[in-house]
Amino acid sequence: MIGSGIKKLAKANNLKISSGVAYGSLHGYASTFSEGNGYKRLVIVTSFPDPEAERNLKAELDTRNIEREFRVQSISFNVKSIDIMFRDAAGTMKKLNAFIDWFYPLLKQAGATKYKICAECGSPMEKGTWKLIDGVAYPLHKDCAIQLRNALIEEHEAERAEEKGSYLTGFVGALIGAAIGSILWAVLYYAGYIASLAGLVIGLLAEKGYSLFKGKKGAVKVIILIICIIAGVLLGTLAADWYILFEMIQNGELPGFVTGDIIPLLIEMFKTDAEVLSSTIKDVALGLVFAALGVFALLRKAAKEAAPTKVKDLKDE
């Protein structure tokens, strides 16, 4: 999503707003604006026919402290684009506009290609189409857009075919990672806390275990991580309950019971005491909610890895 600052900039420069970005021709260059937590992003789809002119532009950037002057955190020159990240804080839009006023004339001076050039084939186009790819709007010939979409699908399928590993080994690794993460969950739960941080730790360790055991990427990976995260929360909750009973036995509060009786005792309590069972179920459910909050971004990333790069239709010229 984009905020009021970028929306105002888009309106002032006749840019379109769609799918969470502002895009279009800005001073003749295909530009995409977006933002997220703590940053604003500008991507200019362009290339440099003259490599020497590109080097001179980069040298010009080195003569200025663009972080201090414009809050530019990073600027990356790619084959088909320039990706610029701004640190977002009060007053960033003023800095961003100042950067535009300074940087776009430099693009013109360096002979950077403008938006009437197809980003795929590099040929001029009178009437094309805009496609959103990984959050960036690209101007393309309609035929080039179709070819690009097919190429991305083929590339993804080829990568999956060449990929080594298996879901089974990944599952084992994720389960081990989640079990290790459940220790933190058990400690916090025993202390009377349920935190999304512990859920995130379980998720991170599950994902790390999946990778270390060479788990295969794909939609099944997301399902495996969800199962292992749930297992980690359950294990951590039950481990805390186990330790509470262990302490009671050690303190003589449960005469006649020994450590080996704890698991059967827990099972019996869940069978015969509806209040204990209900309380545990509520804690587990609450724990899963907090864990989901902690690992949402992680699961989203895993799902994105499993799918081919999406090419989304935007409004045409």
Side-chain angles (χ1 to χ4, degrees):
M1 298 299 291
I2 55 175
S4 58
I6 290 181
K7 288 179 180 178
K8 184 177 179 181
L9 183 151
K11 184 176 181 181
N13 291 278
N14 296 315
L15 303 179
K16 297 181 179 69
I17 295 175
S18 179
S19 301
V21 302
Y23 70 97
S25 171
L26 180 62
H27 301 309
Y29 295 93
S31 305
T32 307
F33 293 89
S34 58
E35 62 184 293
N37 186 21
Y39 73 88
K40 293 188 188 297
R41 183 187 185 197
L42 164 61
V43 180
I44 306 167
V45 176
T46 188
S47 59
F48 297 87
D50 182 359
E52 182 64 26
E54 181 180 3
R55 285 192 289 270
N56 291 337
L57 174 58
K58 292 178 180 177
E60 179 68 22
L61 288 171
D62 291 337
T63 66
R64 305 284 288 268
N65 187 338
I66 57 175
E67 197 287 325
R68 181 177 60 81
E69 290 187 60
F70 308 113
R71 293 185 183 168
V72 173
Q73 288 183 312
S74 65
I75 180 165
S76 304
F77 284 75
N78 307 308
V79 175
K80 296 179 181 179
S81 66
I82 303 172
D83 197 335
I84 307 145
M85 301 292 289
F86 297 83
R87 178 173 56 85
D88 198 9
T92 291
M93 283 306 303
K94 184 177 179 180
K95 298 283 188 179
L96 192 154
N97 279 296
F99 178 83
I100 290 171
D101 292 341
W102 172 70
F103 187 67
Y104 277 68
L106 295 179
L107 289 177
K108 184 177 180 181
Q109 182 180 323
T113 57
K114 296 195 173 183
Y115 89 108
K116 282 295 185 179
I117 299 295
C118 175
E120 179 63 14
C121 70
S123 299
M125 60 181 191
E126 287 301 318
K127 188 175 182 181
T129 183
W130 287 91
K131 300 296 181 183
L132 189 69
I133 306 172
D134 284 339
V136 179
Y138 289 84
L140 301 160
H141 288 118
K142 291 187 177 181
D143 289 344
C144 287
I146 295 172
Q147 293 173 13
L148 177 60
R149 189 192 300 268
N150 293 336
L152 289 171
I153 293 173
E154 290 175 5
E155 181 183 347
H156 176 76
E157 291 175 349
E159 288 176 355
R160 294 288 80 79
E162 293 177 3
E163 187 179 302
K164 296 180 180 179
S166 73
Y167 289 123
L168 179 59
T169 58
F171 178 74
V172 173
L175 200 58
I176 293 173
I180 296 172
S182 70
I183 297 172
L184 174 61
W185 188 276
V187 171
L188 290 176
Y189 182 71
Y190 173 77
Y193 299 99
I194 297 177
S196 58
L197 173 62
L200 176 59
V201 170
I202 291 175
L204 289 173
L205 290 175
E207 205 278 336
K208 185 66 175 178
Y210 190 92
S211 298
L212 288 175
F213 279 66
K214 302 187 183 303
K216 189 175 182 180
K217 291 180 182 178
V220 177
K221 175 184 177 180
V222 180
I223 298 172
I224 289 174
L225 289 179
I226 291 173
I227 291 172
C228 290
I229 290 165
I230 292 173
V233 171
L234 286 170
L235 181 61
T237 303
L238 293 176
D241 288 338
W242 184 95
Y243 189 75
I244 290 171
L245 291 178
F246 173 78
E247 275 195 328
M248 293 176 71
I249 290 173
Q250 295 300 308
N251 295 334
E253 297 176 51
L254 293 174
F257 289 96
V258 295
T259 302
D261 297 325
I262 294 178
I263 292 178
L265 182 58
L266 276 173
I267 295 172
E268 186 63 25
M269 288 172 62
F270 292 147
K271 284 183 178 179
T272 60
D273 194 326
E275 186 176 342
V276 171
L277 179 60
S278 176
S279 177
T280 301
I281 291 174
K282 286 179 181 178
D283 285 345
V284 169
L286 183 60
L288 290 175
V289 170
F290 273 83
L293 292 174
V295 301
F296 176 77
L298 178 69
L299 293 176
R300 187 177 181 181
K301 179 184 176 184
K304 189 175 180 180
E305 287 178 349
T309 301
K310 291 183 179 180
V311 179
K312 189 171 184 179
D313 296 333
L314 294 173
K315 296 176 183 177
D316 294 348
E317 278 292 298

